[in-house]
Structure formats: structure tokens, C-alpha cells
Amino acid sequence: MNQTVDIKVQADLCLKSLEAILPFADSAGIATHYEDAYDEWEEIVQTLYASFVLRPLCDSGIIWDVKQFRRLGFETDSGARGEILVDLASQTYFIFDIAKFGGNQMRLVLRPRDHIAQDTLARIEDCESFRVEFLPPP
């Protein structure tokens, strides 16, 4: 299959799906706040990110496996060959993680590619463009 995938739309669907299950995770006693979240919530976030964002990209014709993209929450990932880049306010970031913000709103945690600026939380609608790029060899 070779079709175009709108990464921005897919990322938005991922955040909305996480917002929908937040009450259930909270009821189950799963820590969902970014500072407190541990394996259970991190696994849920990674799985939905892979299902909504990475899998459609891989199925669209990119000859990679989901496991070849940078894992959320990891600065370095020895097996990673690609990452999702986002432009915001004339700065290029990669999607580092996804975090709960405020009440039950999910935001992208964007880490600057140049490591000069600090991480930023971003709403999908604030992001200017999304794209896949190769990571430089280690």
C-alpha cells in the first residue's frame, strides 16, 4: 500500500484517544500525570502512539517497522532509525513524549532538535508541520 498519511491528523487522533481513556486509567489507579506516570501509563501511551501515528506511516509505504522509530520518552534509542519532526514557532522539534496537561488534556512534549531551547508542550493546532526524518547514525 502506498498512500499519504497526514501525521498531524493521526497525532491528533492519538491525543484524543488518550484523553478519552484518562478517566478509566485514573479510576484503575494508574498514575497518568507526566511526573508520576510509570510503566502502565507509559505502555498505554506508547501503544496508542504506535497504533495511531507510526503504524499508518509504516503501512503507507515507508519500509520501516514501528520499532525503528524513536520510542517516546527516550532521548537516545539505539535501534531507532527515524523520528517524527514538528515545526513550531520557527523551531524544529522531535516528538519526545506525550503528557497530560491541566485537567484531562494531552499535549505533545516536543524536544528541540538542536538542544538549545527547552522542551515545550504543544497542542496539535499550534504545530506548523509534521514529517518523518532519518536519524543520523550513532
Side-chain angles (χ1 to χ4, degrees), residues 9-26:
V9 168
Q10 295 304 123
D12 189 40
L13 290 170
C14 178
L15 296 185
K16 287 177 180 173
S17 68
L18 287 165
E19 288 172 355
I21 65 170
L22 270 170
F24 300 105
D26 290 336

Side-chain angles (χ1 to χ4, degrees), residues 8-97:
K8 186 173 188 173
V9 168
Q10 295 304 123
D12 189 40
L13 290 170
C14 178
L15 296 185
K16 287 177 180 173
S17 68
L18 287 165
E19 288 172 355
I21 65 170
L22 270 170
F24 300 105
D26 290 336
S27 292
I30 296 173
T32 57
H33 290 282
Y34 192 60
E35 306 79 30
D36 303 327
Y38 198 58
D39 291 345
E40 297 88 356
W41 183 244
E42 290 170 358
E43 288 172 5
I44 291 168
V45 171
Q46 182 65 46
T47 299
L48 289 177
Y49 178 72
S51 296
F52 280 96
V53 179
L54 301 180
R55 175 65 56 206
L57 283 170
C58 292
D59 290 348
S60 73
I62 293 177
I63 349 175
W64 292 346
D65 184 89
V66 169
K67 295 175 185 152
Q68 292 175 303
F69 282 89
R70 184 191 303 271
R71 290 185 307 159
L72 293 176
F74 289 85
E75 177 69 35
T76 57
D77 188 351
S78 62
R81 294 181 46 210
E83 63 188 352
I84 307 292
L85 296 184
V86 177
D87 293 320
L88 174 70
S90 301
Q91 176 79 26
T92 299
Y93 299 87
F94 65 91
I95 298 177
F96 176 70
D97 211 342

Side-chain angles (χ1 to χ4, degrees), residues 87-111:
D87 293 320
L88 174 70
S90 301
Q91 176 79 26
T92 299
Y93 299 87
F94 65 91
I95 298 177
F96 176 70
D97 211 342
I98 297 174
K100 182 174 162 181
F101 176 80
N104 282 339
Q105 299 175 351
M106 300 303 292
R107 298 286 187 260
L108 296 174
V109 178
L110 302 178
R111 182 157 286 179

